[in-house]
Amino acid sequence: MASSDKPEIVERDFKDNVDDKEDKGGFIEKVKDFIHDIGEKIEEAIGFGKPTAHVTEIHIPSINLEKADIVVDVLIKNPNPVPIPLVDINYLIESDGRKLVSGLIPDAGTIHAHGEETVKIPISLIYDDIKSTYDEIKPGSIIPYRIKVDLIVDVPVFGRLTLPLEKTGEIPIPYKPDIDLEKIHFERFSWDETVAVLHLKLENKNDFDMGLNALDYEIWLSEVSIGAAELQKSTKIDKNGISCFEIPITFRPKDFGSALWDMIRGKGTGYSMKGHINVDTPFGAMKLPISKEGGTTRLKKNKEDGGEDDDDDNED
């Protein structure tokens, strides 16, 4: 009997141990579930929840040859019955894994109870910093970017939370266009006042189209200023393309002194230009500088003013 009872006693002990472990494991799980349920009921009772955030828009309010100002709009919703502080904002802009700029904005404000706020994150890209760090990023190109933003908020019950956000897009590295004065065509010639047309050529060295809206410049012939002129109609310049346009101007030839005789004889006349152009681009409006030093142009008169009225002169 004793020998036959022995295995039964061992079997019972093993079974009891297994049952004890299962009971203990089940008890711990039940405690966890209970605490979780209590937590959810407390949240429901007092109305606390996690805030949400997403990027609604990215603006480029200003862009030129030196820098691009970027504003990231982030909509944050607070479902809680109390205001929550926006402790910090960390941001990073990268392109193909290359860090372009990063920064921290501390104490960024407060999100009202049961409310929502659009937080604007201003970021500036300094092109000289980018080009000096990454030689492969060339002026005139368009580069992809990824903006990463971490919003750090302090919420009762939950504590400090990080809300990560990302947004991708493209941004240009603008390049100064080239401008040339191909020729000046006289419409009406006299010593006191001459009406002429400037034949200008503008080369767009960027990988994006430009819509030319305005010119702000001064031009000198033989080191004598003949003033400025205005663009009468807008002109589209394709990416990496060339556009020619005409601008009327009035000046007094007698102000040029001996250089006037070189003009009349049809010899090349030195000129220089300096100013700005206002253009529309897919990335917003830009004001870009234009300049030309040491150029040479030709003056052409109409037949009635004693000149040859031809349009085949393309000399610089």
Side-chain angles (χ1 to χ4, degrees):
M1 289 292 291
S3 61
S4 62
D5 291 339
K6 204 168 187 179
E8 292 179 8
I9 293 170
V10 172
E11 212 173 287
R12 280 177 196 160
D13 286 347
F14 178 76
K15 222 173 190 190
D16 290 342
N17 289 338
V18 171
D19 290 341
D20 288 345
K21 288 180 181 178
E22 287 179 353
D23 289 343
K24 288 178 182 177
F27 175 74
I28 292 172
E29 290 300 321
K30 286 177 181 178
V31 170
K32 288 181 179 179
D33 291 342
F34 175 75
I35 293 173
H36 179 73
D37 291 342
I38 290 296
E40 286 187 344
K41 287 177 180 178
I42 291 174
E43 289 174 21
E44 290 174 4
I46 60 179
F48 282 103
K50 294 181 181 180
T52 60
H54 67 279
V55 177
T56 56
E57 196 169 357
I58 295 179
H59 311 272
I60 306 179
S62 174
I63 186 169
N64 51 44
L65 294 184
E66 288 76 36
K67 66 176 182 174
D69 291 328
I70 301 171
V71 177
V72 183
D73 288 351
V74 177
L75 180 64
I76 306 174
K77 295 183 179 181
N78 176 20
N80 299 289
V82 295
I84 59 172
L86 184 51
V87 180
D88 289 321
I89 299 176
N90 291 304
Y91 63 83
L92 166 70
I93 299 183
E94 61 181 15
S95 177
D96 293 332
R98 299 166 298 198
K99 174 184 170 182
L100 302 182
V101 66
S102 64
L104 168 69
I105 303 174
D107 301 325
T110 301
I111 313 302
H112 298 299
H114 295 304
E116 58 183 46
E117 299 283 341
T118 296
V119 177
K120 295 184 178 293
I121 306 173
I123 305 172
S124 290
L125 281 180
I126 308 300
Y127 290 131
D128 280 347
D129 294 344
I130 295 173
K131 290 181 284 189
S132 63
T133 306
Y134 305 108
D135 293 337
E136 65 274 21
I137 297 180
K138 302 298 182 183
S141 61
I142 299 173
I143 61 172
Y145 70 80
R146 181 184 299 274
I147 295 181
K148 296 181 179 181
V149 176
D150 286 339
L151 304 175
I152 301 172
V153 295
D154 200 352
V155 184
V157 178
F158 296 98
R160 189 163 290 195
L161 300 176
T162 298
L163 308 177
L165 305 170
E166 282 193 15
K167 194 77 171 180
T168 59
E170 291 183 328
I171 196 165
I173 311 293
Y175 194 66
K176 183 180 78 171
D178 277 353
I179 191 164
D180 283 310
L181 176 58
E182 292 194 304
K183 65 182 177 180
I184 301 177
H185 198 109
F186 290 157
E187 294 292 325
R188 187 178 72 251
F189 181 83
S190 73
W191 297 107
D192 292 323
E193 184 179 78
T194 290
V195 178
V197 176
L198 304 180
H199 292 251
L200 298 175
K201 180 176 72 174
L202 192 65
E203 182 178 1
N204 178 13
K205 294 189 173 184
N206 296 281
D207 290 338
F208 53 87
D209 297 341
M210 296 193 308
L212 178 61
N213 294 322
L215 279 166
D216 173 20
Y217 72 95
E218 189 171 3
I219 184 168
W220 292 263
L221 291 178
S222 300
E223 299 183 351
V224 177
S225 174
I226 62 173
E230 295 183 358
L231 184 70
Q232 291 188 328
K233 62 180 180 179
S234 60
T235 301
K236 181 186 176 185
I237 312 173
D238 294 330
K239 62 180 182 180
N240 299 308
I242 296 175
S243 180
C244 297
F245 50 97
E246 301 175 358
I247 297 179
I249 193 169
T250 301
F251 63 96
R252 300 197 308 171
K254 65 180 182 180
D255 292 338
F256 290 86
S258 61
L260 178 63
W261 301 110
D262 290 335
M263 298 183 197
I264 294 175
R265 295 187 186 107
K267 293 183 178 181
T269 302
Y271 76 93
S272 58
M273 298 179 66
K274 191 173 183 180
H276 294 85
I277 59 172
N278 294 333
V279 296
D280 288 330
T281 75
F283 307 96
M286 297 185 193
K287 186 175 184 178
L288 301 175
I290 54 171
S291 62
K292 181 73 174 183
E293 299 289 340
T296 302
T297 190
R298 298 286 297 275
L299 276 73
K300 303 293 291 183
K301 293 197 298 180
N302 288 334
K303 288 181 178 179
E304 58 267 26
D305 292 319
E308 297 178 0
D309 190 10
D310 58 18
D311 290 322
D312 58 355
D313 181 9
N314 292 320
E315 296 179 38
D316 290 332

